[in-house]
Amino acid sequence: MRKAAVGEEVVDAVPVDTEEPITRGRAAEELSQSQEPSLAERYDWLEAMINHVPDYIYAKDLEGRFLFANRAIVLNNGLERVEDMVGLTDYDIHPSAAAETIAAIERHVMETGEPDLGFEERRLRGNGWLMMSRVPLRDKTGKVIGVVGASRDITARKRGESLMKAQAQLLKAVAKGVRLDPFLSDVANLLEEVIPGTAAAVLLHKEGAQEFYMAAASPSARAASISPADILDNPASWRRFAISSGDGGQHGALAVQVSCHEASLWEFLTGVAQTIGIAIDRHYDAERITFLAEHDALTGLPNRTLLDRKLDDMLRRANETSRKVAVVFLDIDNFKLVNDSLGHAAGDKLLKIVANRISEEIGQDNLISRIGGDEFILALEQTDEDFVPWLTRIREAVARPLTLAGMDLQLTCSIGMASFAIHGRTAKELFANADMAMYRAKENGRNSIQVFDPVLAENARQKLGRSEELRRAVERDEFVLHFQPQKDMTSGEIIGVEALVRWNHPTDGLVFPGDFIPLAEESGLIVPIGEAVLRKACGQAKEWQKQGLPPVKIGVNMSARQFQEQGMTRQVAAALAESGLDPQWLEIEVTESLLMRDVQGAIMKMHELNALGVSLAIDDFGTGYSSLSTLKRFPLSRLKIDRSFIADIPDDADDMAITSAIISLARSLELDVIAEGVETKEQARFLSEAGCHAIQGYLFSKPIPAEEVTRIMREPALKSLSK
């Protein structure tokens, strides 16, 4: 077989002994010559192709008369044949401003010889948009003899752009934050605007039900008085798109009545329904945020911000009408005990119950606010009765029995009241005075109603002044110690001393603990005062030892606040290290009620003190609520019998029995026991016979300065009081 020459393309392969092979080029040439179409055939082909193109194609002469038009143009203009259009102009077919615009563009193309491409214009006939292109029509010499135009229907594209713009407009409005009612109306109006011939309505569920109401409607829907029932009863003519909520539910539906059925339109309307859902969610979220800004999240009651604003309006009306207004502080008694024993969830439920009970008693025209914890503020306008009977009913409502976490409870509350004009003219004054009255109600035993008295304000001012004096006393170290010796009645020896603090006031002289310790505990100053007492006591005990006196234990009272301090053990260790006192000579005294506040925490701290070598005593034993099983868990060295059991001995048989029981209990637990407040020989004799030989009280010595203690300790042992 012969290879093809360079440049030839072999069409077929034949044996070497046949004729020269035929190339593809030659075959195409022969085929072309054998099937040469006529000019008419070519014209028919071209005409057929142009008539099957959906675009509009035409040619015009210099006068704007049609020379040719494809079938799309002919039919669009309501004609049947191209011959019907030849010789006509756009003005002849449909005179309009658009025809003038098109003629001007075509004249410009013919005059300049430059094409005009990509011009958008409304269709001359019917609705929609066209993309038009024109080029000059030239003869064989290149002379411009007319114009050739081609137009493409871009109505669908323009609608898509319009829908995208509308969607973007809606999303932008939602992003900025909208008022719901105007937004829904704007959506309905916009749909009718961007989709001609469309009626639209937004249907939303009524609150708490699946029933619909008309939230918004387009102008045509409003004009036709369309109702939800009309839409729901005609599902064939109204198409609904679900308006979903952020929690997976549905707010309602977007209903549209439209003749167009393009898939892109359904996608757009689905997106609009989703956007409406987002807007509604944001509206509800904004309402919730606004509500929470002025209401308590737990109970839904107004918070202090809303209370202040509404109370100002109430006081202004009262000032204009001379109507009486009362501001009331209400606090649930012992609420912390409920929280600690039943848990915070039960405590929260209890607060809701109390809030509802109070709300029912005061009605809608008055105010109740929860300002935190278990404290409520009420603002009441007087009707036909006085405020106190009204408050009594509120207190009784709070006290109605209830069951919480399987436990039957009956609450009490403390109420303080201040009246407008009488006890203050501003909200600030009324708040302060009602608060003071409420605290006085608590001080008076709780479960009571206290009306403000100006004496309370004077006491509060004095208390504030005293607090400042006490603060300065801490800074100036104005506290001194007196010591009350503890005596063994058998040997007559001093076996210990209790350190008792006194405030050496610059003008008032020596102030006793009962007059400033409660204030110190309330203000938190008890912590630095207690630390100073601890350092001074350890230092004095070590000083007595340096003077050659026999070592004795020194007892130091520790307050609940000081005992609960995180660094309490470090404070004790620091005081011992600073003084050089051996820990065995320090005894920390804590009350029984203090230990019972947090038994497990108390045991842990007591073991920490024991690890230092410090001993522990329960002060005022018998006044608390510890059980024998609990008492056994405390690492104690001594019980101190409270003076209240000693005072009426030997006249009170009950006190004698209780005291004997305490002594017996101490023995069974292998604890030392000492009696406080012993003032008579009869009391001392009874204690000795009952087995308690250590006493502390005025019978032996009152609290005295360190110098006098030194003198007593140097004297020979006194004779036993038991003889």
Side-chain angles (χ1 to χ4, degrees):
M1 180 182 295
R2 184 179 64 84
K3 292 184 178 179
V6 177
E8 281 188 316
E9 185 177 358
V10 177
V11 176
D12 199 3
V14 296
V16 175
D17 57 353
T18 62
E19 295 180 5
E20 184 178 356
I22 300 173
T23 65
R24 284 186 179 176
R26 283 179 55 201
E29 183 179 351
E30 291 176 3
L31 180 63
S32 175
Q33 290 173 355
S34 66
Q35 297 180 356
E36 180 69 34
S38 66
L39 183 61
E41 287 176 324
R42 289 179 176 177
Y43 181 82
D44 288 340
W45 290 354
L46 180 61
E47 185 177 24
M49 286 188 293
I50 292 175
N51 280 330
H52 281 84
V53 172
D55 293 349
Y56 305 122
I57 302 173
Y58 64 90
K60 294 180 181 178
D61 63 14
L62 294 173
E63 301 302 323
R65 293 185 293 265
F66 281 95
L67 298 172
F68 169 81
N70 71 344
R71 187 170 180 78
I73 291 184
V74 172
L75 296 178
N76 182 255
N77 286 283
L79 303 174
E80 295 182 0
R81 300 176 305 152
V82 68
E83 289 79 4
D84 296 335
M85 287 195 70
V86 173
L88 300 178
T89 67
D90 287 326
Y91 295 102
D92 297 326
I93 300 171
H94 34 64
S96 66
E100 175 61 36
T101 301
I102 293 172
I105 294 172
E106 291 175 346
R107 282 196 302 271
H108 179 76
V109 170
M110 291 184 288
E111 290 171 359
T112 63
E114 298 177 354
D116 183 89
L117 306 176
F119 178 75
E120 294 181 359
E121 184 56 83
R122 286 278 189 183
R123 294 175 61 167
L124 295 178
R125 184 181 180 85
N127 296 317
W129 287 80
L130 296 174
M131 173 72 77
M132 299 180 175
S133 299
R134 285 89 169 180
V135 297
L137 176 63
R138 301 176 188 272
D139 61 13
K140 290 183 178 181
T141 66
K143 180 181 177 181
V144 176
I145 60 172
V147 65
V148 175
S151 301
R152 174 163 294 177
D153 191 337
I154 59 169
T155 302
R157 194 197 82 192
K158 294 290 287 186
R159 181 185 293 115
E161 291 175 354
S162 177
L163 297 181
M164 287 181 64
K165 183 178 179 181
Q167 180 73 14
Q169 182 179 338
L170 295 178
L171 289 173
K172 185 177 180 181
V174 172
K176 285 184 176 180
V178 295
R179 291 188 300 119
L180 189 59
D181 290 343
F183 173 76
L184 295 178
S185 296
D186 290 345
V187 170
N189 296 340
L190 183 64
L191 292 179
E192 187 163 328
E193 179 183 331
V194 299
I195 312 172
T198 296
V202 179
L203 306 180
L204 298 182
H205 293 305
K206 290 184 178 179
E207 187 174 355
Q210 291 300 306
E211 191 177 344
F212 286 108
Y213 73 95
M214 184 82 73
S218 63
S220 59
R222 291 196 299 270
S225 300
I226 297 296
S227 69
D230 298 325
I231 296 172
L232 299 174
D233 294 341
N234 295 281
S237 59
W238 288 86
R239 181 153 182 174
R240 285 187 286 167
F241 299 85
I243 300 174
S244 301
S245 61
D247 59 5
Q250 285 191 8
H251 294 300
L254 169 65
V256 294
Q257 194 177 48
V258 60
S259 57
C260 180
H261 297 286
E262 296 176 4
S264 61
L265 180 60
W266 301 139
E267 291 177 4
F268 166 72
L269 292 172
T270 300
V272 171
Q274 292 173 344
T275 303
I276 294 173
I278 294 170
I280 294 174
D281 284 339
R282 289 198 55 159
H283 170 74
Y284 289 155
D285 288 344
E287 282 190 335
R288 180 63 177 163
I289 291 170
T290 301
F291 180 85
L292 290 177
E294 293 188 329
H295 291 79
D296 172 46
L298 177 64
T299 62
L301 296 177
N303 61 14
R304 185 63 178 268
T305 302
L306 183 56
L307 173 68
D308 287 345
R309 189 172 73 248
K310 289 195 171 185
L311 180 58
D312 285 340
D313 294 338
M314 192 180 288
L315 295 180
R316 184 166 54 253
R317 290 195 305 270
N319 193 47
E320 294 169 354
T321 62
S322 300
R323 195 171 187 177
K324 292 182 179 179
V325 172
V327 171
V328 178
F329 272 55
L330 184 151
D331 189 88
I332 302 173
D333 297 330
N334 300 314
F335 175 73
K336 186 177 183 300
L337 184 60
V338 175
N339 256 352
D340 292 345
S341 57
L342 301 182
H344 287 278
D348 289 347
K349 185 176 181 180
L350 179 63
L351 291 172
K352 292 178 183 179
I353 293 172
V354 171
N356 289 335
R357 289 181 175 183
I358 298 173
S359 298
E360 290 172 359
E361 290 296 330
I362 68 172
Q364 296 182 349
D365 296 332
N366 298 284
L367 294 174
I368 171 177
S369 169
R370 176 174 174 253
I371 59 171
D374 59 330
E375 194 166 8
F376 299 85
I377 297 180
L378 286 62
L380 308 176
E381 287 186 309
Q382 189 180 29
T383 53
D384 297 331
E385 66 174 338
D386 194 12
F387 288 117
V388 173
W390 197 355
L391 296 180
T392 301
R393 289 201 306 276
I394 292 172
R395 182 166 63 93
E396 291 171 350
V398 172
R400 288 200 303 266
L402 59 91
T403 301
L404 191 66
M407 181 176 291
D408 294 332
L409 300 175
Q410 186 168 8
L411 302 174
T412 63
C413 62
S414 299
I415 297 175
M417 186 193 81
S419 297
F420 171 69
I422 300 174
H423 303 139
R425 303 194 66 87
T426 67
K428 182 178 179 181
E429 291 173 335
L430 293 171
F431 283 146
N433 293 339
D435 194 23
M436 276 190 279
M438 186 268 289
Y439 274 103
R440 174 53 64 89
K442 283 193 172 296
E443 291 171 359
N444 290 342
R446 298 184 172 89
N447 192 26
S448 62
I449 299 169
Q450 175 71 50
V451 178
F452 175 75
D453 187 323
V455 173
L456 296 177
E458 179 59 30
N459 291 341
R461 281 190 289 271
Q462 291 179 359
K463 189 175 182 180
L464 179 62
R466 200 64 162 176
S467 294
E468 284 304 308
E469 289 182 351
L470 195 58
R471 195 175 305 279
R472 288 194 295 269
V474 172
E475 295 172 356
R476 298 170 181 172
D477 191 20
E478 294 177 353
F479 300 98
V480 296
L481 297 187
H482 282 196
F483 303 89
Q484 188 168 34
Q486 299 167 344
K487 182 181 179 181
D488 185 316
M489 290 188 289
T490 302
S491 65
E493 295 177 351
I494 295 176
I495 57 173
V497 293
E498 179 180 0
L500 300 168
V501 67
R502 303 287 188 264
W503 178 8
N504 191 15
H505 194 279
T507 57
D508 296 347
L510 216 55
V511 180
F512 288 85
D515 295 329
F516 69 87
I517 290 297
L519 182 59
E521 290 179 338
E522 184 179 332
S523 63
L525 292 172
I526 192 66
V527 174
I529 293 174
E531 186 176 2
V533 168
L534 184 63
R535 286 189 288 100
K536 290 175 183 289
C538 290
Q540 184 59 61
K542 185 63 177 178
E543 180 61 29
W544 282 326
Q545 292 179 14
K546 288 179 179 179
Q547 294 176 12
L549 296 174
V552 293
K553 277 192 175 180
I554 187 163
V556 177
N557 291 285
M558 188 167 285
S559 71
R561 183 74 175 271
Q562 188 180 4
F563 189 77
Q564 291 164 358
E565 282 287 303
Q566 191 172 1
M568 180 271 295
T569 306
R570 290 195 301 273
Q571 287 183 4
V572 175
L576 290 169
E578 179 184 328
S579 63
L581 181 68
D582 191 309
Q584 66 173 314
W585 302 114
L586 175 63
E587 182 176 75
I588 299 296
E589 298 182 8
V590 290
T591 62
E592 186 179 4
S593 56
L594 181 156
L595 297 178
M596 295 307 298
R597 292 184 182 183
D598 177 12
V599 172
Q600 200 57 44
I603 291 172
M604 182 182 69
K605 291 191 174 184
M606 293 172 79
H607 279 298
E608 290 176 358
L609 292 172
N610 273 167
L612 293 178
V614 174
S615 58
L616 292 154
I618 286 190
D619 195 14
D620 302 336
F621 185 78
T623 59
Y625 303 96
S626 60
S627 64
L628 180 59
S629 60
T630 303
L631 190 62
K632 288 170 60 178
R633 297 169 62 192
F634 295 138
L636 299 168
S637 59
R638 183 157 63 166
L639 298 184
K640 298 189 74 175
I641 303 173
D642 186 67
R643 66 182 65 248
S644 61
F645 298 115
I646 307 299
D648 293 330
I649 292 176
D651 299 325
D652 192 314
D654 290 339
D655 284 347
M656 294 172 68
I658 292 172
T659 302
S660 296
I662 294 174
I663 295 169
S664 177
L665 174 64
R667 284 178 177 173
S668 65
L669 295 175
E670 297 182 352
L671 299 177
D672 293 334
V673 62
I674 184 172
E676 295 183 292
V678 180
E679 298 183 356
T680 68
K681 291 184 178 181
E682 289 78 8
Q683 293 169 349
R685 187 174 296 108
F686 167 79
L687 290 167
S688 180
E689 291 173 354
C692 176
H693 303 291
I695 63 169
Q696 174 182 338
Y698 276 38
L699 177 62
F700 175 48
S701 173
K702 65 179 182 180
I704 53 179
E707 297 79 12
E708 293 189 36
V709 175
T710 303
R711 179 182 58 78
I712 293 175
M713 291 175 67
R714 289 188 185 281
E715 293 177 357
L718 298 178
K719 292 182 179 180
S720 172
L721 289 171
S722 60
K723 294 181 180 179

